[in-house]
Amino acid sequence: MKHTILLAMLPLLVLLITGAAAAQSLDLVREGRPCAEIVVARDAHKGIQAAARDLQDFLEQISGARLSIVNEPGSGVTNRVYIGESEHTARLGYRLPDFAGSGYDLLVSNNYAVLTGPNMFFPPRKFRDRAEFQAFISEKYSDEFFWPGSGELNGALGISSTDDIGAWHAASALLDRLGVRFCAPYDE
């Protein structure tokens, strides 16, 4: 499937993340070279790993520099972008704010950023359609009970269509702030 993506032109070769609440900034790319790395927990859910790859790919399209995705912070890099909660974000003293439901948190502090949010992961739906489900339970039902949260599995990404991945929302919000736009309809 071909996606149409518009990237806003950035006048500088330095990408900065600016926190909404504070005037913090973090260099990700300077003079066409990466000066940050993306840190994801080794056992992170596939959706959180996909968020890190999206951030990496789009930052490269914007700047020409490819940030590394690592499981452990490296000693040769000062700036880091943490995708999802991990032991590393806990060591930094990061605690995810309370959310009543879906959302994301984009925190920039000192030489790091944390992109995360509440996550809800659902198993793939076991029934192809309502008729198959109704045959299984042998009684009538309403739609509100048919969609308790589980969705179809996207095999390529390894996530369910109804998964709610806060880290992916946060990565998308950051990309939006940097000028990335996802436009529809798609060509295919």
Side-chain angles (χ1 to χ4, degrees):
M1 180 184 322
K2 184 177 178 186
H3 299 274
T4 304
I5 301 163
L6 301 176
L7 299 177
M9 298 303 294
L10 296 176
L12 303 173
L13 293 177
V14 178
L15 297 178
L16 300 174
I17 301 173
T18 305
Q24 293 282 337
S25 66
L26 177 69
D27 289 349
L28 301 178
V29 175
R30 189 178 303 122
E31 297 178 10
R33 302 179 82 86
C35 55
E37 65 187 1
I38 300 169
V39 183
V40 180
R42 188 174 314 282
D43 60 347
H45 183 272
K46 289 183 181 206
I48 294 172
Q49 294 173 19
R53 287 191 306 274
D54 272 0
L55 184 63
Q56 179 189 51
D57 291 344
F58 286 108
L59 288 175
E60 183 177 21
Q61 288 180 46
I62 293 169
S63 69
R66 188 163 183 86
L67 277 64
S68 297
I69 297 176
V70 299
N71 300 121
E72 299 287 331
S75 59
V77 179
T78 8
N79 298 338
R80 294 183 178 83
V81 179
Y82 296 92
I83 308 287
E85 291 181 276
S86 66
E87 64 185 72
H88 308 298
T89 58
R91 262 189 251 127
L92 293 170
Y94 175 80
R95 184 177 176 278
L96 181 67
D98 293 330
F99 286 85
S102 184
Y104 67 87
D105 188 32
L106 199 163
L107 169 76
V108 179
S109 180
N110 300 319
N111 63 339
Y112 65 89
V114 178
L115 283 63
T116 192
N119 300 306
M120 292 187 292
F121 305 116
F122 298 99
R125 188 172 44 231
K126 296 178 182 173
F127 305 99
R128 289 179 300 214
D129 57 29
R130 290 177 178 87
E132 188 176 317
F133 178 69
Q134 189 165 344
F136 175 76
I137 63 169
S138 301
E139 59 185 74
K140 298 216 182 256
Y141 63 94
S142 71
D143 280 350
E144 73 180 274
F145 298 109
F146 181 69
W147 300 106
S150 62
E152 294 182 27
L153 180 67
N154 180 316
L157 294 177
I159 62 173
S160 176
S161 62
T162 53
D163 284 351
D164 189 4
I165 305 167
W168 213 341
H169 297 310
S172 296
L174 171 59
L175 290 168
D176 182 72
R177 290 180 187 187
L178 294 175
V180 175
R181 300 294 181 261
F182 301 91
C183 302
Y186 300 120
D187 291 341
E188 297 175 1

